[in-house]
Amino acid sequence: MRKILVIAAAFVAAVYGLWQLSSARSFQLFGELIQRVETDDKVVALTIDDGPSKRYTNEIVALLAQQQVKATFFITGKEAEQNPDEVRLIYQAGHQLGNHSYSHPRMLFMSPSAVVSEIERTDAAIRAAGYQGEILFRPPYGKKLLVLPWYLAQQQRKTIMWDLEPETDPTLAADAQAMANYVIEHTRPGSIVLMHLMYQSRQSSREALPLVIKGLKQRGYRFVIVSELLAMPLQT
Ligand SMILES: [Zn+2]
């Protein structure tokens, strides 16, 4: 009986450990994981996940144009297929596009063929809309464990995570000003900020966006796309 309990406890600990590992923002088993870039320059990358949606892409792209800011959009293959005009709108405005899987699953215990299909169908949808830039990858929910990092490492493709996600704190998520203040306070040179703006439920995030941009510009930050951030000279 005791032995069974010990084995059960070890099993639970192992599963818990794997789950924690799968969500780690700064570590994975294979390949390169980017959470933030160590640089002395006051640069920050704004990354916008999911979509593109028909309803909000226009509004977001117009807002970024008004602020003269370039961002990186991690989009799903499914939505890219449904809304190719919105994909074009994003990259024609000078923003970078990234692959955020095809159907937004937790890519944790998926078969290798399912992982490959999620990634390749999305690349194909982004290319079909005419985008020619580098396609970065960000896993849905930041989840990855074995197959996904291994596959990306084979392709010499980096996994792009983030160091700031103000929306995960529910008290911040509901309050645009609080969300903006949090991001402005916590951004460091080389930070990657994650925001979700593409769906109706994210009204306060959309309201926070101009506040974030103005506040960070006032502090001397310059907004860059993720590829530019990765090319920054490293901290000395
Ligand atoms: Zn997502």
Side-chain angles (χ1 to χ4, degrees):
M1 185 60 192
R2 199 165 175 184
K3 204 171 174 184
I4 292 172
L5 279 177
V6 170
I7 291 169
F11 180 75
V12 168
V15 169
Y16 179 74
L18 285 178
W19 180 257
Q20 292 291 95
L21 175 62
S22 75
S23 340
R25 286 198 311 219
S26 54
F27 176 77
Q28 68 183 0
L29 292 170
F30 307 100
E32 210 179 331
L33 187 73
I34 310 289
Q35 179 189 17
R36 184 185 149 247
V37 169
E38 298 282 346
T39 175
D40 294 319
D41 293 280
K42 287 187 106 176
V43 288
V44 55
L46 176 65
T47 62
I48 297 165
D49 275 18
D50 308 332
S53 67
K54 264 201 178 30
R55 173 72 180 81
Y56 292 107
T57 302
N58 232 322
E59 184 182 318
I60 297 162
V61 169
L63 206 149
L64 292 170
Q66 218 172 51
Q67 306 286 336
Q68 295 184 301
V69 159
K70 301 280 184 268
T72 304
F73 290 71
F74 288 95
I75 62 175
T76 69
K78 195 173 178 181
E79 285 160 299
E81 278 177 4
Q82 287 164 350
N83 304 315
D85 290 344
E86 281 67 24
V87 178
R88 279 188 281 272
L89 200 66
I90 293 170
Y91 75 76
Q92 283 170 353
H95 304 293
Q96 182 162 27
L97 288 174
N99 178 327
H100 193 42
S101 83
Y102 186 82
S103 59
H104 209 275
R106 285 188 165 74
M107 295 174 78
L108 200 45
F109 298 114
M110 273 183 138
S111 71
S113 62
V115 165
V116 171
S117 157
E118 282 285 336
I119 294 175
E120 290 188 351
R121 284 175 81 187
T122 304
D123 284 342
I126 291 173
R127 292 292 181 222
Y131 181 66
Q132 293 180 343
E134 180 185 12
I135 303 178
L136 301 165
F137 181 79
R138 171 176 281 167
Y141 312 100
K143 284 274 170 201
K144 69 270 163 260
L145 192 59
L146 282 173
V147 175
L148 177 60
W150 180 81
Y151 175 72
L152 292 168
Q154 295 296 304
Q155 309 271 312
Q156 297 179 339
R157 229 162 145 172
K158 296 182 177 89
T159 306
I160 309 299
M161 302 292 277
W162 56 87
D163 65 326
L164 285 173
E165 46 173 342
E167 296 156 330
T168 44
D169 179 340
T171 54
L172 295 179
D175 181 341
Q177 189 65 59
M179 203 188 301
N181 291 346
Y182 177 87
V183 174
I184 295 161
E185 285 299 316
H186 291 85
T187 294
R188 296 185 289 156
S191 276
I192 300 177
V193 180
L194 162 61
M195 292 180 85
H196 296 80
L197 305 173
M198 286 289 181
Y199 306 122
Q200 194 182 357
S201 59
R202 300 299 189 163
Q203 188 54 35
S204 42
S205 298
R206 283 186 293 275
E207 286 168 18
L209 183 64
L211 305 174
V212 166
I213 293 171
K214 282 175 199 154
L216 286 176
K217 278 183 175 172
Q218 266 168 17
R219 294 201 172 195
Y221 278 93
R222 185 164 64 85
F223 285 83
V224 293
I225 58 174
V226 172
S227 283
E228 287 174 311
L229 188 69
L230 297 177
M232 291 303 293
L234 294 183
Q235 203 165 46
T236 44

